[in-house]
């Protein structure tokens, strides 16, 4: 009998899958706190981890641990070196959220282009006559600059292409030959793409301490540009974003991610009407949560049955002696 610990509530589909395995004793922890998880490490054969850190001390307490499965794709707070010393595999769920994030990105674009906040408000405030201001715009014919062309960026491009948008791509790991059978244009200078775009959307990994979008980039932008970020909160200088929105240097913005989360809502950015926010939930749809839970549960089943999916293994260094 294997003892399987689920580190707090996940989508029920994943829980049911684990509970259906005859030789699994499954415990769902009452909350996702690190303290509760630490209290349940000693006899766990497998742990399905949510967002909790998993450090050296926790790994040392996990005497029976055979598989650590992340209910997601990030693992910055996990001590990989300590796992490697014990030959404990760490798995992630792979591509389960790219469609969800891509759809959320398009939602931001359409809501801002169609001025949904304004038009909703004129109905609620009985100002029907304001409908004739022609504030809405179409995606068709717009130049959309996609920064980062991984799975999410590619799905955003596919949707925009179907809507007759003109897709421009920047990604240092993509070349023109890879885009040969598409309608997309590739630029090798990010500033050129920013200057040419009607809409800018970011889908890039962390850029360290450097902003992708700072004051020099805002000064390059067209007056009516829309800026979307569903990627990393560190990509945009939000002080400069607030200035650009206040001074109508750009038309609008949509943010799902922030430099610190939850964000400090006292910031002047949150007093503006030409920006939309969501609480880092672009990938948190019901369907995505189901796919994530099933993927992380299946990784545990595979690992404990000697069929580890190495494509979803983070610490591949352990394979040589696994």
């Amino acid at each position: 009998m294997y003892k399987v610990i689920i580190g707090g509530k996940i989508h029920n589909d994943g829980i049911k899958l684990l509970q259906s395995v005859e030789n699994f004793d499954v415990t769902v922890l009452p909350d996702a706190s690190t303290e509760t998880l630490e209290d349940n490490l000693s006899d766990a054969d497998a742990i399905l981890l949510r967002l909790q850190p998993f450090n050296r001390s926790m790994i040392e307490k996990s005497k029976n641990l055979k598989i650590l499965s992340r209910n997601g794709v990030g693992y910055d707070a996990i001590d990989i070196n300590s796992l490697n010393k014990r030959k404990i595999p760490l798995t992630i769920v792979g591509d389960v959220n790219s469609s969800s994030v891509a759809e959320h990105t398009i939602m931001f674009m359409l809501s801002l282009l169609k001025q949904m906040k304004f038009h909703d408000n004129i109905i609620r405030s009985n100002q029907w006559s304001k409908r004739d201001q022609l504030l809405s715009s179409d995606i068709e014919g717009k130049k959309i600059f996609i920064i980062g062309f991984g799975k999410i960026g590619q799905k955003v491009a596919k949707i925009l292409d179907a809507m007759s948008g003109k897709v421009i791509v920047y990604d240092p790991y993509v070349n023109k030959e890879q885009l040969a059978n598409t309608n997309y244009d590739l630029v090798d200078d990010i500033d050129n793409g920013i200057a040419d775009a009607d809409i800018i959307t970011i889908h890039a990994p962390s850029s360290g301490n450097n902003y992708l979008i700072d004051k020099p980039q805002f000064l390059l932008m067209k007056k009516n540009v829309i800026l979307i970020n569903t990627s990393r909160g560190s990509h945009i200088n939000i002080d400069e974003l607030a200035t650009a929105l206040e001074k109508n240097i750009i038309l609008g913005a949509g943010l799902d991610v922030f430099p610190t989360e939850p964000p400090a809502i006292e910031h002047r950015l949150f007093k503006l009407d030409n920006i939309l926010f969501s609480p880092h939930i672009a990938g948190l749809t019901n369907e995505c949560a189901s796919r994530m839970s099933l993927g992380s549960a299946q990784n545990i089943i595979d690992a404990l049955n000697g069929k580890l999916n190495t494509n979803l293994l983070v610490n591949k260094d352990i394979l040589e002696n696994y």
Side-chain angles (χ1 to χ4, degrees):
M1 184 69 70
Y2 289 118
K3 179 72 173 178
V4 179
I5 300 296
I6 300 176
K9 188 72 172 74
I10 63 170
H11 196 283
N12 206 42
D13 288 349
I15 297 173
K16 286 181 177 179
L17 177 59
L18 288 170
Q19 290 173 336
S20 71
V21 181
E22 187 174 344
N23 62 334
F24 281 11
D25 176 14
V26 180
T27 298
V28 182
L29 300 184
D31 59 67
S33 70
T34 302
E35 294 77 13
T36 302
L37 180 61
E38 285 197 81
D39 290 340
N40 289 270
L41 296 176
S42 60
D43 60 347
D45 294 291
I47 296 172
L48 197 157
L49 192 68
R50 290 191 58 191
L51 294 172
Q52 306 98 320
F54 211 76
N55 56 34
R56 177 181 175 183
S57 173
M58 298 170 77
I59 293 167
E60 289 175 348
K61 291 177 182 177
S62 307
K63 302 298 183 183
N64 297 332
L65 189 61
K66 300 172 180 65
I67 171 69
L68 183 64
S69 177
R70 260 285 288 126
N71 189 55
V73 296
Y75 47 89
D76 291 348
I78 298 174
D79 188 338
I80 304 291
N81 290 332
S82 294
L83 287 176
N84 287 346
K85 289 176 182 178
R86 293 266 311 277
K87 308 297 182 187
I88 299 171
L90 168 64
T91 56
I92 56 176
V93 294
D95 179 24
V96 296
N97 72 347
S98 60
S99 293
S100 303
V101 178
E103 288 184 19
H104 199 87
T105 300
I106 299 299
M107 178 277 298
F108 268 143
M109 289 183 193
L110 288 171
S111 296
L112 290 161
L113 279 173
K114 303 301 182 182
Q115 295 287 320
M116 286 306 301
K117 283 177 70 174
F118 172 80
H119 291 120
D120 178 83
N121 184 62
I122 66 172
I123 293 295
R124 294 175 187 274
S125 58
N126 196 27
Q127 301 181 75
W128 183 269
S129 61
K130 290 187 176 181
R131 67 184 291 273
D132 296 323
Q133 295 183 45
L134 301 179
L135 298 178
S136 294
S137 293
D138 299 329
I139 280 181
E140 183 174 0
K142 294 287 189 299
K143 294 180 179 179
I144 305 101
F145 184 38
I146 300 176
I147 302 175
F149 206 60
K151 290 183 174 64
I152 296 171
Q154 291 172 36
K155 289 192 175 181
V156 170
K158 187 175 181 180
I159 296 170
L160 292 170
D161 188 41
M163 300 175 75
S164 299
K166 298 179 179 179
V167 174
I168 306 167
V169 172
Y170 172 80
D171 191 313
Y173 301 102
V174 173
N175 58 52
K176 290 185 178 180
E177 287 71 26
Q178 291 171 279
L179 303 183
N181 295 320
T182 73
N183 296 318
Y184 316 148
D185 292 325
L186 181 69
V187 295
D188 56 12
D189 187 312
I190 192 170
D191 284 351
N192 288 342
I194 287 171
D196 197 30
D198 300 303
I199 301 170
I200 300 166
T201 180
I202 306 175
H203 303 285
S206 175
S207 52
N209 296 322
N210 299 317
Y211 295 119
L212 289 177
I213 308 292
D214 204 348
K215 185 175 182 178
Q217 285 71 43
F218 282 112
L219 294 177
L220 290 172
M221 293 179 190
K222 295 179 180 178
K223 182 176 177 59
N224 289 325
V225 76
I226 286 172
L227 176 62
I228 310 294
N229 187 14
T230 57
S231 180
R232 299 288 187 273
S234 58
H235 283 327
I236 299 175
N237 183 333
I238 62 169
D239 293 327
E240 294 299 337
L241 173 59
T243 298
L245 290 167
E246 289 167 345
K247 295 183 177 181
N248 293 316
I249 295 173
I250 66 173
L251 179 66
L255 297 183
D256 183 57
V257 289
F258 306 88
T260 57
E261 296 182 353
I265 60 171
E266 298 80 15
H267 194 281
R268 69 186 200 276
L269 194 67
F270 297 93
K271 298 177 175 62
L272 302 175
D273 289 329
N274 51 346
I275 184 168
L276 296 176
F277 304 106
S278 57
H280 203 156
I281 50 99
L284 294 181
T285 64
N286 180 59
E287 293 85 355
C288 179
S290 173
R291 293 191 296 267
M292 196 177 298
S293 71
L294 290 169
S296 54
Q298 189 63 51
N299 283 337
I300 288 175
I301 295 169
D302 290 344
L304 293 181
N305 284 309
K307 299 177 181 179
L308 181 70
N309 184 349
T310 57
N311 291 325
L312 299 174
L313 179 66
V314 172
N315 50 340
K316 296 184 188 298
D317 291 345
I318 71 168
L319 287 176
E320 185 176 344
N321 299 309
Y322 183 67

